[in-house]
Amino acid sequence: MANKDKKIRYIRIKDDDFAPKSEKNRNKDENRVRDYYKRHKMTVGQKIGAVLSFIGTTFLSVFLIVIITLCIVATALTVYIMQFAESSFDVDLSNVELSYSSFIYGTDKNGEDVLIKQISGADSRVWVDIEDIPQHVLDAFIAVEDQRFFEHNGVDWKRTLSVAVQAVFSSGTAGGSTITQQLVRDITEDKETTAGRKLREIFRALSLENKYTKFDILESYLNRIGFGGPAYGIGYAAYYYFDKDVSELTIAEGAMLAGVVRSPTNYNPYVNPKNSKIREEYALDCMYEQGYITTQEYEDAYAEKIRFRRPIKGEYYGYSDEERYNEYYGIIDDNKEDDDLYYENVSWDEILGEKSSGAYCWNGNYQVTQNWYVDAALYQIVEHLSEKLGITYDEAWEEFRSGGYTAYLNMDMEMQEIVSKKFEDPYLCLTAYDASVPYDSKDLIQAAFVIMDYRGNVKAVAGGIGEKPGDNCFNRATQAVSAIGSTIKPIGNYSLAIENNIVTYSTMIKDSSGRIHAEYAGEGDYAASSGYDPETETIRWPHNYQDLGFGTGDYYPVWYAVQKSTNTIAARVMQKVGLANSFNHLVNKLGFSHLDSTSDIAYAPLATGALTNGATLTELTAAYQVIGNGGMYYEPYYYSRVIDSKGNTVLEQDYEGKRAISEDSAWITNRMMLKVIQDPYGTGQHAKLGNVEVVGKTGTANDRSNYLFAGLTPEYVACYRIARDNNKEILSDAGWRTLAKVWHDVMVDIVDTETEQSFTPDSSTIVQNYCNETGLLATSKCPETTVGYYRRSNIPESCDSKHNGTYWAEHDEEEPPLFE
């Protein structure tokens, strides 16, 4: 191949090309370099330009780096902030959950509503519409808390920046939050001290201002903020500090309140009156400097000596409140030093000493802020609220005390004061007692008293004897459910027998017991051993309370059975009335709510009052209305109406009532009960009230655990009970006063005994004499007669007796009744 024959030519590189240059050549190179530098030598201007160029290039590089870094930071910060901005703050200011105080009103002797009790939950608050807040009060808060309130959109950027600078360059800072921001913080309760919280607050404030007007925000703010102690909101603060309505606040008072909110503890006049005064003056300065008040108003407000609801220490407000202060706190010490005006150097133990304890005298230092009536009213209101709202009693109590309700009570304040004072003295009810018995012993004889008019309005009440042991304590007038004894007879037996034409006023009934199966006889020291018949497994029953045992065997008119409270006649009448009829009447028409449908439809409970559970004294009093008002039953109410915070009536008294018995039946039963009082042998003879007609009925539980008296005047029905809290027997020698006498001693100061008062007769009733022997209408042949009262539908026949002593021998029953 041709390529194989091709020859390669190699070129030799000279080795001397890398040899050191000769001196000549070296000089030649150096000269060439010097010539280059001569040709390219930089001027001074060129050098400066080069330096500046370098610096510019470096600055530009750093600037670009900073810009890029800021962009990254800004992007991250934007993402961070948008997390808060995107968080929706959708709040309804009109429906934000708050705790509002509730108020209780009573009626004074002039018929005026009087505030007697304010009840609060965690916060005490009363809502006030902004239209009802004086302009100078609004101005005070704006001047002190947010002077550019009407200019900013929720955030005062100038103020915020100023506070931020202060935080960086100084140790102290002033508040930078606007009124809107403060409202947001109060609603959300977001109070952590972080930048994140501040950003959330800012965006929420901006959002709130977009949704609501300035006046909406200001109104909500003034009704939410704390003013120290239990006072929340301007409404309650006006009462708490000045005992005023907001509309009555002066410029000075408004300034004082505006000054408190920054630090309610430090500026509370009850705690720090000196700081409070300084802060009030600061608020006035702000108002004046910002043009809200004139020079004259400023000077007058500055000189005003604000008077507080509670006494304050010192003379910082231009006067000394020493006497009122010491009286308010119960401080009495004759040995105090003259310069120790407010007993600052005297301990409470030295001032108050030890409180004695014992029977009816409660141990410890405690404050009672409400009487027995308020206790009872609250108990009933909360029960009714629980039923209406479908919640538990405890939940209803919390709702009432923090829901801003207003309750109007049926309490007669003057009457209640009389009853309260009387029952504080144990000797009203007792002739003697052992003072060494512990105050909380359930063996102590206790008592209760209820006064009601004939429309169901409870007017006064006592729930115990002696010192009241606190607020909302056990109230024996409303909460004690126990036996009512013979007081059941007129309302659940005799009046019903009259109503159904079973008996008349003068129907003669034999005073003799019948027989009953032992298990139905009820309790008593005579029950199981009273003539037991093993063949029929029955005993003699009932037993009269008096020493007449199982009855005399004689015939007596029904009114006499009421007067003497004979169990024997009551049982015989009940047999005619019917157990189911009596039970249904008591439950459905007379409001008894604790009867047992299994065990109480029996003779012992319905004829003699030996109920399984019993009834409250309030229930019994309400049932007796029918005897004094013509047969109408009205549910007993301690309140007339309850209004919520928005002015809506949520609970209201039932004024309709319902007919329990007819007017003539009520009147005839009333006349029967008159004998209990007016007859010299009547069990209630000590209840007489001079010119005021009184009818009544006594009652004793079969086991002697409860004693009662129900008394009626033309104006009121009042019931009185004594019992032990453990329902143990009370013997006759236990040191208790006759019940009718105690009833008299209370009511004599309630009714006008100087003016003649009588019950209004029923015009349809027939008044005629009856024969004392037969109980039939008297004729000229009857030797002894008495006035009787009769329904037109059930007038007795005329007497046909020969009056030779054989009438009842001829008409006597053959066998004693069996009560099944």
Side-chain angles (χ1 to χ4, degrees):
M1 295 176 65
N3 286 337
K4 289 183 179 181
D5 297 332
K6 188 175 179 177
K7 295 182 179 180
I8 299 173
R9 183 182 179 185
Y10 292 92
I11 299 174
R12 181 181 176 84
I13 299 175
K14 293 180 179 182
D15 293 335
D16 56 4
D17 288 345
F18 296 95
K21 292 183 179 181
S22 64
E23 184 68 23
K24 180 180 179 180
N25 289 335
R26 194 164 47 247
N27 291 335
K28 184 179 179 179
D29 289 341
E30 291 176 355
N31 290 333
R32 197 163 41 243
V33 170
R34 281 195 293 268
D35 290 341
Y36 175 83
Y37 279 108
K38 285 179 180 180
R39 289 194 303 269
H40 293 87
K41 186 176 181 179
M42 297 176 66
T43 65
V44 174
Q46 288 175 326
K47 290 180 179 180
I48 293 173
V51 171
L52 291 177
S53 176
F54 175 78
I55 294 173
T57 302
T58 303
F59 179 79
L60 179 61
S61 299
V62 172
F63 177 74
L64 290 174
I65 292 172
V66 170
I67 290 298
I68 293 171
T69 302
L70 288 176
C71 288
I72 295 172
V73 171
T75 302
L77 185 60
T78 300
V79 173
Y80 177 73
I81 291 175
M82 288 303 293
Q83 293 177 354
F84 300 101
E86 291 172 2
S87 298
S88 176
F89 184 59
D90 186 16
V91 62
D92 183 357
L93 291 183
S94 64
N95 197 34
V96 174
E97 185 174 347
L98 287 173
S99 174
Y100 294 108
S101 298
S102 294
F103 292 88
I104 310 292
Y105 285 85
T107 306
D108 65 14
K109 61 182 179 181
N110 299 317
E112 300 291 331
D113 291 329
V114 178
L115 178 63
I116 57 175
K117 177 72 176 179
Q118 177 259 324
I119 298 174
S120 303
D123 306 333
S124 298
R125 182 183 281 107
V126 181
W127 183 271
V128 182
D129 292 334
I130 197 166
E131 295 84 0
D132 298 325
I133 303 175
Q135 185 61 47
H136 59 260
V137 176
L138 300 177
D139 294 340
F141 282 88
I142 293 172
V144 174
E145 289 297 313
D146 191 357
Q147 67 182 67
R148 284 182 287 275
F149 175 69
F150 288 103
E151 300 170 16
H152 61 66
N153 60 350
V155 180
D156 189 339
W157 297 108
K158 179 179 178 181
R159 189 175 177 188
T160 300
L161 180 60
S162 174
V163 170
V165 171
Q166 287 184 26
V168 174
F169 295 103
S170 67
S171 58
T173 63
S177 296
T178 63
I179 282 177
T180 310
Q181 287 174 277
Q182 292 180 54
L183 176 59
V184 166
R185 188 161 58 245
D186 189 78
I187 291 174
T188 62
E189 297 184 354
D190 187 359
K191 300 178 181 179
E192 61 182 43
T193 55
T194 64
R197 192 275 300 170
K198 194 65 178 179
L199 285 171
R200 287 193 297 272
E201 182 182 289
I202 287 173
F203 280 106
R204 287 167 174 171
L206 295 173
S207 175
L208 198 65
E209 291 252 357
N210 285 331
K211 185 175 181 180
Y212 291 98
T213 68
K214 289 288 186 179
F215 290 105
D216 291 333
I217 292 170
L218 187 58
E219 179 183 65
S220 184
Y221 168 78
L222 290 174
N223 280 286
R224 290 191 65 97
I225 54 175
F227 286 85
Y232 285 80
I234 189 74
Y236 187 71
Y239 163 76
Y240 180 68
Y241 287 113
F242 311 117
D243 195 15
K244 287 185 174 183
D245 184 81
V246 174
S247 62
E248 301 172 313
L249 293 176
T250 66
I251 292 175
E253 292 166 342
M256 188 242 108
L257 291 178
V260 165
V261 296
R262 177 62 58 84
S263 180
T265 300
N266 290 330
Y267 301 132
N268 186 330
Y270 295 147
V271 179
N272 292 306
K274 180 179 179 180
N275 290 350
S276 172
K277 181 60 179 175
I278 293 173
R279 187 67 177 170
E280 180 223 337
E281 292 175 352
Y282 167 77
L284 290 172
D285 290 342
C286 291
M287 295 179 72
Y288 181 64
E289 291 167 2
Q290 296 173 38
Y292 287 111
I293 54 177
T294 66
T295 301
Q296 187 62 54
E297 289 173 329
Y298 173 72
E299 292 175 351
D300 291 344
Y302 224 90
E304 182 177 334
K305 299 177 180 180
I306 296 177
R307 296 285 175 171
F308 295 92
R309 183 175 67 90
R310 282 168 45 187
I312 60 172
K313 287 185 178 182
E315 300 181 14
Y316 304 107
Y317 278 89
Y319 60 92
S320 171
D321 220 0
E322 174 194 0
E323 183 176 348
R324 199 165 68 102
Y325 183 90
N326 295 332
E327 180 182 357
Y328 180 85
Y329 289 104
I331 302 174
I332 302 174
D333 183 12
D334 296 332
N335 298 319
K336 76 175 182 68
E337 298 177 5
D338 292 338
D339 59 349
D340 189 12
L341 297 179
Y342 295 95
Y343 302 89
E344 294 173 333
N345 300 318
V346 182
S347 70
W348 281 107
D349 290 339
E350 291 179 87
I351 293 168
L352 299 176
E354 292 188 10
K355 183 177 176 64
S356 61
S357 63
Y360 311 111
C361 185
W362 299 93
N363 188 29
N365 297 316
Y366 63 94
Q367 186 178 15
V368 178
T369 65
Q370 61 194 45
N371 57 38
W372 289 110
Y373 194 105
V374 176
D375 281 2
L378 286 173
Y379 183 74
Q380 186 180 55
I381 289 170
V382 174
E383 276 197 324
H384 289 179
L385 198 61
S386 170
E387 295 169 4
K388 182 179 179 68
L389 300 180
I391 56 180
T392 66
Y393 181 91
D394 289 342
E395 291 170 337
W397 168 244
E398 185 61 32
E399 165 66 20
F400 179 78
R401 76 188 189 107
S402 61
Y405 293 91
T406 301
Y408 295 90
L409 308 189
N410 290 325
M411 176 176 65
D412 184 310
M413 295 177 64
E414 186 176 11
M415 190 184 300
Q416 180 60 43
E417 181 67 18
I418 292 171
V419 173
S420 293
K421 287 294 184 183
K422 285 182 176 293
F423 275 85
E424 285 177 2
D425 181 6
Y427 287 107
L428 169 72
C429 309
L430 308 172
T431 58
Y433 66 92
D434 183 356
S436 66
V437 175
Y439 63 89
D440 57 351
S441 172
K442 295 187 181 299
D443 283 326
L444 287 173
I445 294 177
Q446 273 293 352
F449 201 95
V450 176
I451 304 176
M452 190 181 301
D453 67 15
Y454 289 107
R455 298 277 292 180
N457 302 302
V458 181
K459 310 305 289 184
V461 64
I465 300 175
E467 296 178 354
K468 190 171 182 285
D471 292 342
N472 299 312
C473 52
F474 182 64
N475 193 324
R476 297 164 188 85
T478 58
Q479 295 172 292
V481 179
S482 53
I484 60 174
S486 294
T487 55
I488 199 173
K489 294 172 182 175
I491 55 177
N493 192 2
Y494 292 121
S495 62
L496 204 55
I498 296 290
E499 175 76 1
N500 290 288
N501 292 335
I502 295 170
V503 299
T504 69
Y505 180 87
S506 59
T507 298
M508 293 293 190
I509 307 289
K510 189 173 186 178
D511 176 21
S512 178
S513 63
R515 303 198 69 84
I516 194 171
H517 290 283
E519 64 267 30
Y520 301 131
E523 297 181 358
D525 56 6
Y526 51 82
S529 60
S530 300
Y532 180 72
D533 182 353
E535 183 176 343
T536 61
E537 296 183 340
T538 62
I539 59 172
R540 293 283 302 275
W541 188 89
H543 184 286
N544 287 327
Y545 179 71
Q546 299 91 339
D547 295 330
L548 301 178
F550 298 109
T552 63
D554 296 327
Y555 283 81
Y556 296 100
V558 170
W559 70 259
Y560 180 84
V562 174
Q563 174 197 304
K564 302 298 290 184
S565 197
T566 54
N567 291 331
T568 52
I569 294 178
R572 288 170 179 259
V573 173
M574 177 57 65
Q575 191 176 44
K576 300 176 184 293
V577 168
L579 296 176
N581 291 335
S582 175
F583 181 89
N584 292 333
H585 180 71
L586 290 168
V587 172
N588 299 326
K589 293 189 175 181
L590 296 183
F592 284 86
S593 62
H594 297 90
L595 271 60
D596 189 312
S597 60
T598 301
S599 57
D600 282 338
I601 304 180
Y603 282 97
L606 297 177
T608 67
L611 300 169
T612 304
N613 299 311
T616 69
L617 195 64
T618 299
E619 286 179 327
L620 181 66
T621 308
Y624 264 94
Q625 289 177 101
V626 303
I627 308 301
N629 69 2
M632 292 296 295
Y633 174 82
Y634 295 89
E635 184 179 348
Y637 272 85
Y638 285 85
Y639 69 91
S640 58
R641 67 190 188 281
V642 176
I643 299 172
D644 66 16
S645 59
K646 300 184 184 303
N648 303 312
T649 299
V650 293
L651 296 175
E652 190 168 18
Q653 182 173 358
D654 179 6
Y655 293 101
E656 293 300 319
K658 57 186 177 183
R659 180 156 296 284
I661 55 176
S662 59
E663 294 183 48
D664 51 2
S665 297
W667 175 243
I668 293 169
T669 307
N670 181 291
R671 295 299 87 186
M672 290 179 176
M673 290 171 57
L674 180 65
K675 292 288 189 177
V676 175
I677 308 299
Q678 291 192 345
D679 194 277
Y681 300 104
T683 54
Q685 57 181 298
H686 297 292
K688 295 175 183 176
L689 289 172
N691 292 315
V692 178
E693 189 173 53
V694 177
V695 303
K697 181 71 184 77
T698 56
T700 303
N702 285 355
D703 59 1
R704 299 182 180 87
S705 63
N706 284 252
Y707 297 85
L708 304 97
F709 181 77
L712 292 73
T713 73
E715 292 180 287
Y716 305 111
V717 51
C719 290
Y720 170 55
R721 166 193 270 156
I722 64 169
R724 304 183 199 272
D725 287 344
N726 56 18
N727 273 322
K728 287 185 177 180
E729 182 181 24
I730 300 177
L731 299 176
S732 58
D733 61 354
W736 49 280
R737 297 181 66 214
T738 302
L739 273 73
K741 179 60 176 172
V742 175
W743 186 95
H744 164 273
D745 290 349
V746 175
M747 296 302 294
V748 72
D749 291 333
I750 301 296
V751 300
D752 178 10
T753 58
E754 300 298 321
T755 303
E756 187 172 340
Q757 299 179 49
S758 300
F759 288 92
T760 302
D762 172 64
S763 58
S764 69
T765 303
I766 301 296
V767 181
Q768 283 190 244
N769 287 349
Y770 68 88
C771 174
N772 288 359
E773 180 185 7
T774 64
L776 303 175
L777 291 184
T779 66
S780 58
K781 299 179 180 180
C782 298
E784 294 183 355
T785 63
T786 303
V787 174
Y789 303 85
Y790 305 98
R791 305 183 76 199
R792 290 183 180 275
S793 59
N794 190 26
I795 300 175
E797 296 177 353
S798 295
C799 178
D800 58 355
S801 173
K802 300 176 182 178
H803 300 293
N804 57 7
T806 61
Y807 183 85
W808 286 112
E810 297 171 359
H811 294 82
D812 193 16
E813 60 185 25
E814 296 181 0
E815 297 289 338
L818 176 64
F819 302 112
E820 294 186 294

